[in-house]
């Protein structure tokens, strides 16, 4: 039923946005306390691997397991997306180190603009999504234009804006776009593997990359981890990060599979935009010191919300147009 599908997609979008918001808050807090982002990512990847094993087990209890040969072939097909996930995690930590939370939000909002252009170009080799009807509409272009204009206003007004921040943010944008488009392209071609199994593969690749880099962050890994686990505040936030990281990645893959890569990036941008408020209150970001900088932030957030609403309206209108055609003719 189309109504149920729209409700499912709305709940999925809301869930992804909420979990993204939680991930940003918890990771920012843990980065300040632990000062070891690669170890944190390795621990989160391990928790996501355990989560993926559990959910995959539940899936195959209720569904017939495909041949191992088929699963193996599909998992090999998914490896580029898993590698893109690992690279994205590295770019994410680079931006966290060299850019403020608000810079991350603004330049991340440029990703859907780049992503939309590439996604339209890739349309012949992608499965159709109902929301794509509004991709080239005037309202969609205006919404993305508003995001770009807001980013430009912020870039001109932000007091700490510099060349290094711009370079790192640009790297993050192109990494995110490649990551999401690779996910959508490959998800369209995998029919037998559950999303939880793909989550496991992502966790393994991320664990290998972050685990290999984590040994350069501390001298005594065992002692450092022991101290963290015995600190109640760090331990509780670690548990929260494990839950948001695992559930967030799993639900995001479901969203990419049900919607477009651009829509997934916009949903994440909206959530990250609201996290700027967290940055202002918790991490002493200085966006209120220059009113136009804050206006730029509001513009990119409003542009993202406008774009998402426009896609939902287009999806509904397309269903309404198709409904009369589906009705049987009466004599």
């Amino acid at each position: 039923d189309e109504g149920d599908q729209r409700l499912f997609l709305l709940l999925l979008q809301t869930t992804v946005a909420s979990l993204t918001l939680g991930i940003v808050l918890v990771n920012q807090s843990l980065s300040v306390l632990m000062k070891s982002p690669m170890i944190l990512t390795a621990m989160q990847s391990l928790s996501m691997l355990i989560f993926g094993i559990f959910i995959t087990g539940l899936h195959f209890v209720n569904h017939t397991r495909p041949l191992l040969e088929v699963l193996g072939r599909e998992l090999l097909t998914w490896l580029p997306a898993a590698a893109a996930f690992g690279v994205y995690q590295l770019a994410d930590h680079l931006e966290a180190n060299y850019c403020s939370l608000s810079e991350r939000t603004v330049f991340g909002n440029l990703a859907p603009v780049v992503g939309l252009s590439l996604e339209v170009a890739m349309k012949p080799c992608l499965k159709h999504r109902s929301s794509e009807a509004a991709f080239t509409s005037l309202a969609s272009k205006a919404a993305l234009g508003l995001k770009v204009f807001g980013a430009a206003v912020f870039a001109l007004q932000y007091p700490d804006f510099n060349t290094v921040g711009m370079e790192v943010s640009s790297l993050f944008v192109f990494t995110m776009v490649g990551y999401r488009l690779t996910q959508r392209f490959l998800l369209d071609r995998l029919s037998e593997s559950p999303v939880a199994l793909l989550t496991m593969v992502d966790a393994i690749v991320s664990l290998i990359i972050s685990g290999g880099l984590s040994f350069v962050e501390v001298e005594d890994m065992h002692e450092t981890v022991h101290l963290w686990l015995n600190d109640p505040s760090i331990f509780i936030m670690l548990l929260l990060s494990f839950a948001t990281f695992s559930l967030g990645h799993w639900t995001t893959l479901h969203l990419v599979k049900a919607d477009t890569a651009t829509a997934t990036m916009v949903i994440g941008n909206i959530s990250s935009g609201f996290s700027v408020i967290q940055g202002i209150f918790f991490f002493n970001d200085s966006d209120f010191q220059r009113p136009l900088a804050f206006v730029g932030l509001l513009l990119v957030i409003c542009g993202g919300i406008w774009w998402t609403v426009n896609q939902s309206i287009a999806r509904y209108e397309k269903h309404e147009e198709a409904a009369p055609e589906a009705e049987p003719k009466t004599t």
Side-chain angles (χ1 to χ4, degrees), residues 30 138 148 213 270:
L30 286 173
L138 179 61
V148 174
L213 295 173
I270 294 172

Side-chain angles (χ1 to χ4, degrees), residues 122-145:
M122 293 173 61
K123 194 173 181 179
C125 58
L126 297 173
K127 285 187 178 179
H128 178 70
R129 305 283 197 272
S130 57
S131 60
E132 289 178 341
F135 260 14
T136 56
S137 69
L138 179 61
S140 289
K141 292 177 180 178
L144 291 180

Side-chain angles (χ1 to χ4, degrees), residues 153-174:
V153 170
F154 180 87
L156 293 173
Q157 295 296 319
Y158 192 71
D160 295 329
F161 185 77
N162 55 66
T163 304
V164 174
M166 184 175 181
E167 290 175 351
V168 173
S169 296
S170 299
L171 172 65
F172 179 77
V173 166
F174 287 107

